[in-house]
Amino acid sequence: MESSRASEKKKLKRKEILEKKKAADQLLKVASAQIDHLTSFPSFCYFNKNGLCLRLESGRGDKLSNCTKQQIQKLLKANMMGPYGSEWAVEEKVKRREMVAPEARYIFVYWNANEMMDNAFTPLLGFLHFRFTLEEEIPVLYLYELQLDSSVQGKGLGKFLMQLVELIAQENRMGAVVLTVQKSNSLAMKFYISKLRYVVSSISPSRVDPLVGVEKNYEILCKTFDHEAKAILEVYSVQYRTARRVGFMAAFSDLKFED
């Protein structure tokens, strides 16, 4: 009798886990399928403040022109070679691969063509690179890059773009925005934590294992939008996450014995 009740309980748990995973996968699929995330936020298609007249455009990794790829690489090198130091040569190759991934989604920033004398070439002034993915079984918008040319920094554009990112995440029912910041990039750390109120996530190396975290040169930050995401990505410890995984495995441990 006890064995029967335990088996039934395990089946229910397994069904709950599968349904939850299916729902999360569907959210990611729908979010990734959207062609232009700016269409839902027309007021964010332009930035006209502090002497800047800019326009925003959407893009995706597998549709980038060679010119755009070169401009992305140029901005990355200008902004990130310093924080990465001796590791930049290796990291640059990683970022080049990430740049053209089919799941990569972009928001590009250009001068507004109406404000330019010569429209033959429009330089890339900044970009967001983000993806929809799972972190600890929570659907999230993971921000891979926020890069701005030095000519448009310090004028409110970065905060404007992060507001857009958070709106896109919430519009697509993501539980959080997650991003990685180099510890040596003190300006970026201050921007995200002090100005935008992001927190060091419970999945960041420094919180998973402080001894290992000391050796890592980055932190994972997040801003959550619902109770479950907050509980998993902000509050809970590595012991809790381990317990969740153990519970997940236990729920499926007897699959081979069932029809």
Side-chain angles (χ1 to χ4, degrees), residues 123-239:
L124 180 66
L125 299 174
F127 69 91
L128 296 166
H129 167 191
F130 61 92
R131 305 184 189 187
F132 299 101
T133 187
L134 290 179
E135 287 292 340
E136 298 296 327
E137 310 304 323
I138 301 293
V140 304
L141 184 156
Y142 206 114
L143 181 63
Y144 275 60
E145 305 287 350
L146 165 54
Q147 302 294 341
L148 299 179
D149 185 80
S150 59
S151 66
V152 295
Q153 292 178 13
K155 299 184 178 181
L157 178 59
K159 185 176 180 180
F160 175 84
L161 291 173
M162 287 305 298
Q163 289 174 338
L164 174 59
V165 162
E166 292 168 15
L167 287 171
I168 291 173
Q170 292 177 78
E171 172 79 5
N172 288 278
R173 297 167 61 194
M174 298 295 109
V177 171
V178 181
L179 54 92
T180 303
V181 182
Q182 294 298 110
K183 291 179 180 177
S184 60
N185 196 342
S186 57
L187 289 177
M189 290 290 283
K190 183 178 180 181
F191 172 69
Y192 289 116
I193 293 176
S194 299
K195 287 190 176 181
L196 302 183
R197 297 187 178 180
Y198 278 68
V199 299
V200 177
S201 174
S202 61
I203 64 174
S204 192
S206 65
R207 291 191 59 189
V208 172
D209 186 338
L211 293 179
V212 174
V214 169
E215 300 174 357
K216 300 296 184 180
N217 57 10
Y218 65 90
E219 294 281 12
I220 298 174
L221 309 183
C222 70
K223 178 181 283 189
T224 57
F225 307 121
D226 61 51
H227 176 74
E228 183 181 20
K230 183 179 181 68
I232 302 302
L233 297 176
E234 287 189 29
V235 178
Y236 287 139
S237 64
V238 66
Q239 289 85 359

Side-chain angles (χ1 to χ4, degrees), residues 51-102:
L52 298 178
C53 296
L54 310 174
R55 60 182 172 85
L56 278 61
E57 292 184 5
S58 294
R60 49 186 291 170
D62 55 356
K63 301 292 185 181
L64 300 177
S65 67
N66 288 332
C67 179
T68 300
K69 291 177 188 176
Q70 291 172 5
Q71 292 192 81
I72 289 174
Q73 292 168 7
K74 182 180 178 181
L75 257 182
L76 282 168
K77 185 174 182 179
N79 291 345
M80 302 309 296
M81 187 165 64
Y84 277 104
S86 61
E87 298 178 354
W88 173 246
V90 174
E91 189 62 29
E92 185 177 26
K93 293 179 182 178
V94 174
K95 290 184 178 296
R96 284 183 179 180
R97 291 195 298 270
E98 293 175 343
M99 174 180 68
V100 296

